[in-house]
Amino acid sequence: MNFQNNVFLTAGADEKSAYLSMMEQTIRAAAEAMTHDDAYAGMPPYELRKALHVDELLPPEGCSFEEILSEVKEKILPNLVRPMSTNYMAHLHGSALLESIAAEIIIATFNQSMDSWDQAPAATEIEVEVIRNLCALYGYGEKADGVFTSGGSQSNLSGLLLARDWFCNEKLRYDVKKYGLPGNFRKFRMYTSEVSHFSMEKSAHLMGLGYESVVKVPVNSAMQMDIKALEELIEADIKAGNLPFCAVATVGTTDFGSIDPMPAMRKLCDRYGMWLHADAAYGSGVILSEKYASRVNGLAACDSITVDFHKMFMLPISCSASLIKNGKYFDALTIHADYLNREEDEEDGYINLVNKSMQTTRRFDALKVWMSFKMRGREGWSELITRCIDNAAYFYSQLKATDGFEVTNEPEISSVVFRLLPENGSSEDADTMNKRIRRELLHHKGVVIGQTVCNGNVCLKFTLLNPLLTCEKLDSLIALMLSLR
Ligand SMILES: *Cc1c(COP(=O)(O)O)cnc(C)c1O
């Protein structure tokens, strides 16, 4: 095969036809793989591992695209999990809206890199516009800024890093960027609820502060941060000579979808001179539901916000943003390189987004938001998000009304945590039974659901991020679970 015809899309007719043919065959294969609504074909790990064992990834001689695609069709596509299925409700990872898959083709084809303007002229300007609009959407003012990231974990690290640097620079008058952590770094404290995401601890470790700097605040029965406890913990730390620098409001906890009380946290942060970060990796999508947006309007009061578009917003992985109320604090992530983001270029109006980012080479993910927001508009988006939250409310009320189920908390977003109770006279204990039911659903029923622990009990979890899910379908899933008791 002549390599010149099938390496890149160019202006040449042969290359264009190779591109079109490969794309078309691939899209057809994906569409044809969707033959039913099961979320998973069921193969257990050891079987799948055996089936996908690769003797030689790099054979002496290659093969045609058709051959390789047929192998993908045979081995890989049937065994992928299908987040678009109404039988998939395991995690916050959902399906990808059609227009955003189309956007991915453009992103990959033109492969812009967002670090400097000369690698991504239009893409840079689009990201800037998208960020400006997002800041307005979340109620931020003129000074706000933001950047796309690889995900909520990176957005959290970015927000927390800015919080730490802000505290060192403005409260301790210490240049942490230049000198590293100050001598009293072991006294730094950040506060986050006991059901917050583990990226808090990971970030603390990466920032050189360690897990010990993360104070876990108890939650109330609705799984929201107990504000009285937060205040007491801060007071106790100050008495002990520690340095509270940041509080984190989780806006949509990973397991329960609960939302921490942002206005009350804002007051405490102001009183004690602390940064307020919002981990809205999950709950950021609620802003687009006309019916439920008020549940997250406290976001405007936070100093930084983690927004994840590959969760509630249903865009392909990866797609996430880090928004900062006062963009000047991005200075923590700015460093000039002679070959990339020269200061002289910036003076002449070239925007180099690497100045706000932990990544250097970075994807043009903003295009997915741009296309999807414009195409569906406020109304279209509101319907999608509202349906997910309505579904969770319905599922919760059905479980409450059905014998054999115990539900943890009333959903604020779209996650419902519950467990089945064994039938009278059953010898199986509840934990074992719930674990067994999840596995049976996964391997024998094509249904993928979540599992977690709440108050020491094994619980099951439905994360309802599929607007195609109907009440009838939810009823049938309740019946299916009862039948497996
Ligand atoms: C998913 C999640 C994260 C991590 O986001 P990624 O995009 O997976 O890196 C952080 N915080 C919360 C609350 C989450 O639900």
Side-chain angles (χ1 to χ4, degrees), residues 312-331:
M312 273 205 109
F313 288 94
M314 298 170 259
L315 301 186
I317 302 163
S318 59
C319 202
S320 183
S322 169
L323 305 180
I324 310 296
K325 186 185 242 170
N326 188 337
K328 78 172 180 184
Y329 296 119
F330 269 126
D331 180 59

Side-chain angles (χ1 to χ4, degrees), residues 354-373:
V354 70
N355 291 349
K356 297 185 278 187
S357 177
M358 290 201 283
Q359 293 166 269
T360 306
T361 308
R362 189 163 60 77
R363 291 166 52 84
F364 179 24
D365 290 320
L367 180 65
K368 293 180 278 193
V369 178
W370 189 90
M371 284 176 66
S372 193
F373 273 34

Side-chain angles (χ1 to χ4, degrees), residues 92 150-156 195-200 250-255 279-283 306 308 310-311 319-320:
L92 288 164
S150 61
S153 304
Q154 190 191 116
S155 294
N156 281 339
V195 292
S196 64
H197 192 259
F198 60 77
S199 51
M200 298 303 135
T250 309
V251 181
T253 56
T254 311
D255 268 346
D279 178 2
Y282 177 7
T306 289
D308 239 350
H310 54 221
K311 289 184 171 169
C319 202
S320 183

Side-chain angles (χ1 to χ4, degrees), residues 190-201 214-220 222-227 229-230 233 246-261 265 276-277 279:
M190 54 184 261
Y191 303 81
T192 179
S193 99
E194 59 184 342
V195 292
S196 64
H197 192 259
F198 60 77
S199 51
M200 298 303 135
E201 282 94 332
V214 183
V215 181
K216 290 300 188 73
V217 183
V219 291
N220 61 23
M223 301 292 168
Q224 305 153 327
M225 184 182 282
D226 176 342
I227 199 74
L230 172 63
L233 286 163
C246 176
V248 179
T250 309
V251 181
T253 56
T254 311
D255 268 346
F256 308 100
S258 48
I259 298 172
D260 286 340
M265 294 177 76
L276 179 58
H277 173 69
D279 178 2

Side-chain angles (χ1 to χ4, degrees), residues 1 8 126 135 191-192 222 239 314 339 342 433 451 471:
M1 189 191 275
F8 300 132
I126 291 291
C135 287
Y191 303 81
T192 179
K239 277 210 185 81
M314 298 170 259
Y339 75 92
R342 295 156 290 261
M433 185 184 75
Q451 176 187 316
C471 294

Side-chain angles (χ1 to χ4, degrees), residues 28-75:
R28 203 166 282 287
E32 282 168 2
M34 293 302 298
T35 50
H36 50 73
D37 192 43
D38 282 356
Y40 180 55
M43 229 197 254
Y46 48 90
E47 255 179 60
L48 188 59
R49 203 162 299 139
K50 215 162 105 191
L52 298 182
H53 175 76
V54 178
D55 279 326
E56 203 172 26
L57 185 60
L58 200 57
E61 269 183 52
C63 59
S64 69
F65 181 72
E66 287 70 20
E67 282 171 276
I68 208 64
L69 188 63
S70 98
E71 212 178 321
V72 170
K73 279 203 272 202
E74 182 201 339
K75 293 184 180 166

